[in-house]
Amino acid sequence: MTTTPLQFPDINPVLLDLGLVKIHWYGVMYLVAFAIAWWLANRQAAKANSGWNKEQVSDLLFYGFLGVLLGGRIGYILFYQFSYLQQDPLYLFRIWEGGMSFHGGLLGVLLAMALFARKYQKPYLALGDFVAPLIPLGLAAGRIGNFINGELWGRPTDVPWAMVFPTGGDVARHPSQLYHVALEGMLLFVLIILIRQLKPAQGVLGGVFLAGYGIARFTVEFFREPDAHLGVLSLGMTMGQWLCLPMVIAGFGIVLYARQQARRGVKS
């Protein structure tokens, strides 16, 4: 029995057209992501003996905001679209057109965290534990922005929920953006919150985030259409999968290191 594929919903990527200025859903989703992070961070900081105050939270989010924007955009250009930069240097600044790399953003955030930790004399692993729960729901918001843009769609399929995207031809595809929302957004957030309730060793939550995201992204890449100009790389893996492998290794390594340090009674 052949099922009729779903049609992409008629959503204008531009939320508001003010003439000279256009407000895109993609940009709004980034604001939503930082609003969620701000709310979660302040909620955590308000707990007794948290060691955090509102000024520190505001500074952390500012550092993180710069890390995401600069790292995400630069990483996208370097990992996926370096030839575009050579042809049009201004392409680096047109973030409203889409084109942000999570892995680049992660590197930017890790650097921003190092600067923040140095300024406030906070242990880096403890800072990672504080930041880990703030990220997944923001990632989900960003992927919803990708869906609204009709970009980063999946590979051809005949599953009942297959969808025809305007820019993907007359082919039914996996709505892989929504897989990202479910796995690296909702599921990873719930996992981190549940583990946090167990009061794990310092550094475990940060490690779980790195490994959890890496595994989730690696899995979704099997259903997501590879970048046309890159295709499938060596060993049949995409660029996204290759970039996730160091994350998974580092994540499990941090968890093991944190547990060993806890057994020795050492704070990092």
Side-chain angles (χ1 to χ4, degrees):
M1 180 177 178
T2 303
T3 58
T4 302
L6 302 173
Q7 295 297 314
F8 182 76
D10 185 16
I11 305 174
N12 190 336
V14 178
L15 175 60
L16 289 175
D17 187 345
L18 304 177
L20 295 177
V21 177
K22 293 182 180 179
I23 300 176
H24 292 247
W25 276 109
Y26 189 76
V28 171
M29 288 299 103
Y30 267 78
L31 294 179
V32 169
F34 280 100
I36 292 172
W38 178 86
W39 181 76
L40 289 173
N42 277 289
R43 188 170 180 225
Q44 182 65 15
K47 294 182 179 180
N49 302 317
S50 71
W52 286 79
N53 57 48
K54 290 185 176 180
E55 178 186 351
Q56 291 173 343
V57 169
S58 295
D59 264 11
L60 174 65
L61 294 179
F62 176 72
Y63 277 63
F65 178 81
L66 291 180
V68 168
L69 286 185
L70 296 177
R73 188 59 179 173
I74 294 172
Y76 176 75
I77 298 298
L78 294 180
F79 297 148
Y80 296 100
Q81 298 286 2
F82 188 69
S83 60
Y84 274 60
L85 181 66
Q86 292 175 310
Q87 297 169 13
D88 179 12
L90 294 180
Y91 180 67
L92 176 65
F93 304 100
R94 295 202 293 271
I95 60 174
W96 57 86
E97 295 181 4
M100 296 285 283
S101 163
F102 168 80
H103 297 94
L106 174 65
L107 293 175
V109 169
L110 291 176
L111 176 59
M113 286 172 54
L115 296 175
F116 179 89
R118 181 178 179 181
K119 177 179 179 180
Y120 286 101
Q121 298 298 302
K122 288 187 177 292
Y124 195 78
L125 290 184
L127 180 58
D129 289 342
F130 186 85
V131 170
L134 312 182
I135 302 176
L137 294 183
L139 293 177
R143 294 306 184 186
I144 292 173
N146 291 141
F147 181 76
I148 292 174
N149 273 359
E151 61 189 3
L152 305 185
W153 21 258
R155 305 185 189 199
T157 182
D158 59 357
V159 297
W161 55 89
M163 182 173 289
V164 177
F165 290 87
T167 57
D170 296 328
V171 180
R173 299 177 177 277
H174 285 285
S176 55
Q177 311 97 326
L178 303 184
Y179 300 173
H180 283 294
V181 172
L183 292 183
E184 68 196 41
M186 305 299 184
L187 182 60
L188 184 55
F189 175 74
V190 171
L191 177 64
I192 290 174
I193 294 302
L194 290 177
I195 293 176
R196 188 172 68 178
Q197 303 306 314
L198 302 176
K199 301 187 184 303
Q202 182 174 280
V204 166
L205 291 184
V208 167
F209 170 78
L210 289 176
Y213 176 88
I215 293 171
R217 173 69 181 271
F218 192 95
T219 301
V220 174
E221 286 284 327
F222 285 115
F223 304 95
R224 174 174 159 177
E225 184 74 17
D227 295 87
H229 62 294
L230 294 177
V232 177
L233 306 179
S234 57
L235 300 181
M237 297 198 303
T238 65
M239 175 64 81
Q241 288 175 318
W242 277 111
L243 292 173
C244 281
L245 286 181
M247 286 187 66
V248 175
I249 295 171
F252 281 117
I254 290 172
V255 170
L256 292 175
Y257 173 79
R259 290 172 62 86
Q260 289 177 351
Q261 293 295 92
R263 292 192 190 100
R264 298 171 183 169
V266 179
K267 293 185 178 181
S268 300

